[in-house]
Amino acid sequence: MKTVIVLLVLWAIVAVVGFALHGLLWIGIIGVVLFVGTVVFGALRRGSRRAVDRG
């Protein structure tokens, strides 16, 4: 879980920098895509772990 949080922070920083510097807009878009992907991955992983715990 700690890794997912670190990645979310990293992607948020990349997105902000990309949108702040107009010439690097594509970096902002990549940061947003990676952020959303990490959220989905973390949610799926957390959900599968709960299903295993329930038996």
Side-chain angles (χ1 to χ4, degrees):
M1 188 65 174
K2 193 181 294 188
T3 305
V4 172
I5 293 171
V6 169
L7 285 173
L8 288 174
V9 170
L10 180 66
W11 301 146
I13 291 170
V14 167
V16 168
V17 168
F19 287 123
L21 304 173
H22 297 289
L24 299 176
L25 181 63
W26 60 275
I27 291 178
I29 294 169
I30 290 173
V32 169
V33 168
L34 290 173
F35 184 88
V36 170
T38 304
V39 167
V40 169
F41 175 77
L44 290 175
R45 190 168 180 189
R46 189 173 188 199
S48 68
R49 194 177 317 163
R50 282 187 183 170
V52 170
D53 289 343
R54 289 183 189 169

mmCIF file with all atom_site columns, all heavy atoms in Angstrom, residues 47-55:
data_model
loop_
_atom_site.group_PDB
_atom_site.id
_atom_site.type_symbol
_atom_site.label_atom_id
_atom_site.label_alt_id
_atom_site.label_comp_id
_atom_site.label_asym_id
_atom_site.label_entity_id
_atom_site.label_seq_id
_atom_site.pdbx_PDB_ins_code
_atom_site.Cartn_x
_atom_site.Cartn_y
_atom_site.Cartn_z
_atom_site.occupancy
_atom_site.B_iso_or_equiv
_atom_site.pdbx_formal_charge
_atom_site.auth_seq_id
_atom_site.auth_comp_id
_atom_site.auth_asym_id
_atom_site.auth_atom_id
_atom_site.pdbx_PDB_model_num
ATOM 1  N N   . GLY A 1 47 ? -9.126  -4.745  -3.362 1.00 0.00 ? 47 GLY A N   1
ATOM 2  C CA  . GLY A 1 47 ? -10.350 -5.538  -3.427 1.00 0.00 ? 47 GLY A CA  1
ATOM 3  C C   . GLY A 1 47 ? -10.071 -7.024  -3.485 1.00 0.00 ? 47 GLY A C   1
ATOM 4  O O   . GLY A 1 47 ? -10.767 -7.826  -2.859 1.00 0.00 ? 47 GLY A O   1
ATOM 5  N N   . SER A 1 48 ? -9.042  -7.417  -4.215 1.00 0.00 ? 48 SER A N   1
ATOM 6  C CA  . SER A 1 48 ? -8.715  -8.843  -4.307 1.00 0.00 ? 48 SER A CA  1
ATOM 7  C C   . SER A 1 48 ? -8.175  -9.356  -2.979 1.00 0.00 ? 48 SER A C   1
ATOM 8  O O   . SER A 1 48 ? -8.391  -10.505 -2.607 1.00 0.00 ? 48 SER A O   1
ATOM 9  C CB  . SER A 1 48 ? -7.716  -9.090  -5.431 1.00 0.00 ? 48 SER A CB  1
ATOM 10 O OG  . SER A 1 48 ? -6.465  -8.527  -5.128 1.00 0.00 ? 48 SER A OG  1
ATOM 11 N N   . ARG A 1 49 ? -7.473  -8.518  -2.271 1.00 0.00 ? 49 ARG A N   1
ATOM 12 C CA  . ARG A 1 49 ? -6.953  -8.923  -0.953 1.00 0.00 ? 49 ARG A CA  1
ATOM 13 C C   . ARG A 1 49 ? -8.094  -9.115  0.031  1.00 0.00 ? 49 ARG A C   1
ATOM 14 O O   . ARG A 1 49 ? -8.064  -10.039 0.836  1.00 0.00 ? 49 ARG A O   1
ATOM 15 C CB  . ARG A 1 49 ? -5.993  -7.850  -0.433 1.00 0.00 ? 49 ARG A CB  1
ATOM 16 C CG  . ARG A 1 49 ? -5.170  -8.348  0.731  1.00 0.00 ? 49 ARG A CG  1
ATOM 17 C CD  . ARG A 1 49 ? -4.171  -7.355  1.236  1.00 0.00 ? 49 ARG A CD  1
ATOM 18 N NE  . ARG A 1 49 ? -3.479  -6.682  0.136  1.00 0.00 ? 49 ARG A NE  1
ATOM 19 C CZ  . ARG A 1 49 ? -2.808  -5.561  0.285  1.00 0.00 ? 49 ARG A CZ  1
ATOM 20 N NH1 . ARG A 1 49 ? -2.746  -4.974  1.450  1.00 0.00 ? 49 ARG A NH1 1
ATOM 21 N NH2 . ARG A 1 49 ? -2.197  -4.993  -0.733 1.00 0.00 ? 49 ARG A NH2 1
ATOM 22 N N   . ARG A 1 50 ? -9.130  -8.290  -0.049 1.00 0.00 ? 50 ARG A N   1
ATOM 23 C CA  . ARG A 1 50 ? -10.288 -8.450  0.837  1.00 0.00 ? 50 ARG A CA  1
ATOM 24 C C   . ARG A 1 50 ? -11.029 -9.747  0.519  1.00 0.00 ? 50 ARG A C   1
ATOM 25 O O   . ARG A 1 50 ? -11.520 -10.418 1.404  1.00 0.00 ? 50 ARG A O   1
ATOM 26 C CB  . ARG A 1 50 ? -11.230 -7.270  0.698  1.00 0.00 ? 50 ARG A CB  1
ATOM 27 C CG  . ARG A 1 50 ? -10.763 -6.049  1.415  1.00 0.00 ? 50 ARG A CG  1
ATOM 28 C CD  . ARG A 1 50 ? -11.825 -4.996  1.378  1.00 0.00 ? 50 ARG A CD  1
ATOM 29 N NE  . ARG A 1 50 ? -11.366 -3.782  2.019  1.00 0.00 ? 50 ARG A NE  1
ATOM 30 C CZ  . ARG A 1 50 ? -12.002 -2.642  1.979  1.00 0.00 ? 50 ARG A CZ  1
ATOM 31 N NH1 . ARG A 1 50 ? -13.121 -2.536  1.312  1.00 0.00 ? 50 ARG A NH1 1
ATOM 32 N NH2 . ARG A 1 50 ? -11.520 -1.569  2.598  1.00 0.00 ? 50 ARG A NH2 1
ATOM 33 N N   . ALA A 1 51 ? -11.133 -10.077 -0.762 1.00 0.00 ? 51 ALA A N   1
ATOM 34 C CA  . ALA A 1 51 ? -11.831 -11.293 -1.159 1.00 0.00 ? 51 ALA A CA  1
ATOM 35 C C   . ALA A 1 51 ? -11.101 -12.518 -0.649 1.00 0.00 ? 51 ALA A C   1
ATOM 36 O O   . ALA A 1 51 ? -11.720 -13.499 -0.227 1.00 0.00 ? 51 ALA A O   1
ATOM 37 C CB  . ALA A 1 51 ? -11.969 -11.349 -2.680 1.00 0.00 ? 51 ALA A CB  1
ATOM 38 N N   . VAL A 1 52 ? -9.785  -12.489 -0.643 1.00 0.00 ? 52 VAL A N   1
ATOM 39 C CA  . VAL A 1 52 ? -8.988  -13.618 -0.136 1.00 0.00 ? 52 VAL A CA  1
ATOM 40 C C   . VAL A 1 52 ? -9.144  -13.725 1.376  1.00 0.00 ? 52 VAL A C   1
ATOM 41 O O   . VAL A 1 52 ? -9.251  -14.821 1.914  1.00 0.00 ? 52 VAL A O   1
ATOM 42 C CB  . VAL A 1 52 ? -7.502  -13.437 -0.533 1.00 0.00 ? 52 VAL A CB  1
ATOM 43 C CG1 . VAL A 1 52 ? -6.639  -14.455 0.188  1.00 0.00 ? 52 VAL A CG1 1
ATOM 44 C CG2 . VAL A 1 52 ? -7.330  -13.542 -2.033 1.00 0.00 ? 52 VAL A CG2 1
ATOM 45 N N   . ASP A 1 53 ? -9.194  -12.592 2.067  1.00 0.00 ? 53 ASP A N   1
ATOM 46 C CA  . ASP A 1 53 ? -9.348  -12.594 3.519  1.00 0.00 ? 53 ASP A CA  1
ATOM 47 C C   . ASP A 1 53 ? -10.689 -13.194 3.948  1.00 0.00 ? 53 ASP A C   1
ATOM 48 O O   . ASP A 1 53 ? -10.797 -13.821 4.984  1.00 0.00 ? 53 ASP A O   1
ATOM 49 C CB  . ASP A 1 53 ? -9.208  -11.186 4.096  1.00 0.00 ? 53 ASP A CB  1
ATOM 50 C CG  . ASP A 1 53 ? -7.782  -10.681 4.019  1.00 0.00 ? 53 ASP A CG  1
ATOM 51 O OD1 . ASP A 1 53 ? -6.862  -11.508 3.835  1.00 0.00 ? 53 ASP A OD1 1
ATOM 52 O OD2 . ASP A 1 53 ? -7.575  -9.451  4.124  1.00 0.00 ? 53 ASP A OD2 1
ATOM 53 N N   . ARG A 1 54 ? -11.715 -12.976 3.144  1.00 0.00 ? 54 ARG A N   1
ATOM 54 C CA  . ARG A 1 54 ? -13.050 -13.472 3.491  1.00 0.00 ? 54 ARG A CA  1
ATOM 55 C C   . ARG A 1 54 ? -13.151 -14.977 3.311  1.00 0.00 ? 54 ARG A C   1
ATOM 56 O O   . ARG A 1 54 ? -13.987 -15.624 3.914  1.00 0.00 ? 54 ARG A O   1
ATOM 57 C CB  . ARG A 1 54 ? -14.109 -12.800 2.638  1.00 0.00 ? 54 ARG A CB  1
ATOM 58 C CG  . ARG A 1 54 ? -14.323 -11.350 2.994  1.00 0.00 ? 54 ARG A CG  1
ATOM 59 C CD  . ARG A 1 54 ? -15.419 -10.761 2.184  1.00 0.00 ? 54 ARG A CD  1
ATOM 60 N NE  . ARG A 1 54 ? -15.476 -9.318  2.394  1.00 0.00 ? 54 ARG A NE  1
ATOM 61 C CZ  . ARG A 1 54 ? -16.191 -8.515  1.677  1.00 0.00 ? 54 ARG A CZ  1
ATOM 62 N NH1 . ARG A 1 54 ? -16.920 -8.975  0.672  1.00 0.00 ? 54 ARG A NH1 1
ATOM 63 N NH2 . ARG A 1 54 ? -16.207 -7.223  1.918  1.00 0.00 ? 54 ARG A NH2 1
ATOM 64 N N   . GLY A 1 55 ? -12.321 -15.517 2.453  1.00 0.00 ? 55 GLY A N   1
ATOM 65 C CA  . GLY A 1 55 ? -12.301 -16.963 2.285  1.00 0.00 ? 55 GLY A CA  1
ATOM 66 C C   . GLY A 1 55 ? -13.180 -17.392 1.212  1.00 0.00 ? 55 GLY A C   1
ATOM 67 O O   . GLY A 1 55 ? -13.594 -18.359 0.850  1.00 0.00 ? 55 GLY A O   1
#
